[in-house]
Amino acid sequence: MKKIEMVDLKSQYQKIQSQVNDSVLNTINSASFINGPQVKSFQKNLENYLDVKHVIPCANGTDALQIALMALNLRPGDEVITPDFTYASTIEVILLLGLTPVLVDIDIESFNIDISGIKNAITSKTKAIIPVHLFGQVALMSEIRNIAKENNLFIVEDNAQSLGANYTFKNGSKKKAGTIGHIGTTSFFPSKNLGAYGDGGAIFTEDDDLAHTIRGIVNHGMYIRYYHDLVGVNSRLDSIQASILDIKLNYLDDYNKSRNDAAFKYNERFRDHSDIITPIRIGEFDSHVFHQYTLRILRGDSHRDELVKYLSKSNIPCGIYYPVPLHLQKAYKSKRYNQSNFKVTNQVVKEVISLPMHTELTDDQIDYISECVKKFLD
Ligand SMILES: *Cc1c(COP(=O)(O)O)cnc(C)c1O
């Protein structure tokens, strides 16, 4: 059996090696390292793939969130609603911009932001909601859109973990995750579903005015060189990364299908186990692209932590996404947070464990990993 990796980027690369090598060499030979034609090409291809009017590439997924919020022209003290159980980027950029984060508990089945929690969190100062499509599953966007419409709020979707997922509306129509709210953001961090060989990110919108503002912000607020109309940042996707992403985009649907197949096989092997809750799909089959395959281990905290040690001894890497809810992180502590509002996140941080999930998992690896997990619990 091949050595088990949490994410096997090497095997994935080997399958597209000659294509990637040619493309990278061509880019180097062209010497157009910044804003070269490779960036434009990837931008257009991603716009087509997502069926969205504007894609604006940038340097990483955290920048994408910051730039999205900057484009909304919010004022210090404005409140932005976002889930308590996610990576730090959302709350980080909210705080950096002098805005007030309002953290909301999650739904225990999907790990995504709780809809009634959003409703309860809205005040006269609320200006935006940032749902995160956690682990690859799209949040309940119809409900979130209705709430946003009723309360005149912006929606910025953090789509860093769910590129390629579809959301099906009640009338049967579909939209790609990240293109449903006013702005969507994503990350091309190497381990993401569409990963570069370095950092990268992008921002999506249907809105021409927002797109114009965002294009200015990513480039120091310049539309004409050395004339600064806005206070911006420097956030670019470089040409080499774009040339790699342009190739990998052709495989994104296959990659997401491999992840879904692996998740299906894991689910089968853990089915009906009394101490394991396997991930479920809230929507249609294509609403989840399994950036992570995350189990909940019942039977109390120490069992999850003991399982991590046991797997590690069995040469199986795993991850705890995430061990601490945002409201308990030292950097984001605030008197505004009331423990009774975070019952689910406080519980799941002790239960979750993410197993190896990537596009190159083999059946014998999935068998071995699931046997080890079950052996530990039996
Ligand atoms: C990876 C990730 C980000 C940040 O992306 P970077 O490119 O690493 O800055 C933001 N949000 C979520 C949910 C992520 O998983």
Side-chain angles (χ1 to χ4, degrees), residues 60-62 65 86-87 89 132 158 160-161 187 189 192 200 322:
N60 58 66
T62 309
L65 284 162
T86 180
Y87 189 56
S89 297
V132 181
D158 181 350
Q161 302 191 355
S187 163
F189 185 80
K192 297 287 154 81
Y322 296 91

Side-chain angles (χ1 to χ4, degrees), residues 234-288:
N234 169 20
S235 189
R236 294 182 284 241
L237 179 69
D238 69 69
S239 305
I240 289 179
Q241 297 305 335
S243 70
I244 295 165
L245 288 166
D246 215 7
I247 292 168
K248 290 188 74 180
L249 180 59
N250 296 314
Y251 299 96
L252 179 58
D253 284 344
D254 293 340
Y255 289 160
N256 285 340
K257 180 166 187 310
S258 304
R259 289 172 177 276
N260 254 297
D261 288 348
F264 182 79
K265 288 171 190 167
Y266 274 133
N267 276 355
E268 283 291 295
R269 284 155 182 74
F270 294 129
R271 202 167 54 181
D272 299 331
H273 197 292
S274 56
D275 293 324
I276 301 175
I277 306 281
T278 55
I280 64 155
R281 246 181 216 90
I282 295 293
E284 307 273 317
F285 184 81
D286 54 3
S287 66
H288 201 329

Side-chain angles (χ1 to χ4, degrees), residues 59-65 86-90 92 132-135 158-162 185-192 198-201 291-292 322:
N60 58 66
T62 309
D63 273 10
L65 284 162
T86 180
Y87 189 56
S89 297
T90 32
E92 196 172 39
V132 181
H133 305 316
L134 204 72
F135 302 150
D158 181 350
N159 194 37
Q161 302 191 355
S162 51
T185 65
T186 201
S187 163
F188 305 119
F189 185 80
S191 64
K192 297 287 154 81
D199 277 310
H291 175 62
Q292 297 294 349
Y322 296 91

